[in-house]
Amino acid sequence: MQPKAIVEQFISDIQAQRFDEAKALLAAEDFEYVGPNMRFLSRDDMLAYQFGMAAIQKDLIVRQLSADGEHVFAILDYQTHFEPIGDVRLAVWFRVRGETIHTVEAFYNAAVVENMLGGILPSAEQG
């Protein structure tokens, strides 16, 4: 599969809350997620966080998806059932090597997540 198709499938799996299928698209080793207010060095830790957010997820809408070699860029609208958050616009940079995603770097308004968590964030680095 091409990098863009791998990321497209990953986003679709997260949207449908198929976390085991999404996990298979992430590198088992040398994986890193970096966001504005958290970092995970394990795909299991990142997906555990995503699983925790599943209850408030209403929809995940892909606004734009483009690729340049192993680099795939997505603009997403993360719609929630949680009124204090509302909808969050995300820009995500994926780096794919071989058949798996090795790096996910997300850009969004971190204050929204911090407010939701009452100022208590997940560990700054897990793995």
Side-chain angles (χ1 to χ4, degrees):
M1 258 195 311
Q2 293 294 317
K4 184 177 178 182
I6 291 169
V7 169
E8 194 169 35
Q9 184 61 52
F10 175 77
I11 292 169
S12 177
D13 289 340
I14 294 296
Q15 178 185 33
Q17 300 182 10
R18 295 184 303 255
F19 296 107
D20 288 337
E21 289 88 341
K23 179 179 176 177
L25 298 170
L26 300 175
E29 295 181 9
D30 298 321
F31 174 80
E32 180 180 33
Y33 167 88
V34 178
N37 54 5
M38 61 192 74
R39 179 175 182 223
F40 299 110
L41 298 176
S42 155
R43 68 183 184 174
D44 292 321
D45 291 340
M46 186 198 90
L47 287 172
Y49 176 76
Q50 286 292 320
F51 181 77
M53 298 293 284
I56 67 166
Q57 178 182 313
K58 185 187 326 179
D59 203 358
L60 185 60
I61 298 170
V62 177
R63 298 182 63 209
Q64 177 72 37
L65 188 65
S66 58
D68 181 10
E70 69 179 13
H71 302 273
V72 181
F73 306 92
I75 304 297
L76 309 168
D77 285 333
Y78 184 82
Q79 297 179 341
T80 75
H81 294 288
F82 192 61
E83 189 139 335
I85 293 180
D87 299 338
V88 178
R89 184 153 298 140
L90 307 166
V92 188
W93 176 16
F94 298 88
R95 279 163 277 185
V96 179
R97 277 187 271 143
E99 294 289 314
T100 58
I101 299 166
H102 282 258
T103 306
V104 179
E105 193 165 349
F107 304 88
Y108 56 89
N109 181 352
V112 171
V113 175
E114 290 177 17
N115 289 338
M116 178 194 69
L117 298 174
I120 301 172
L121 296 174
S123 172
E125 186 172 314
Q126 297 183 14

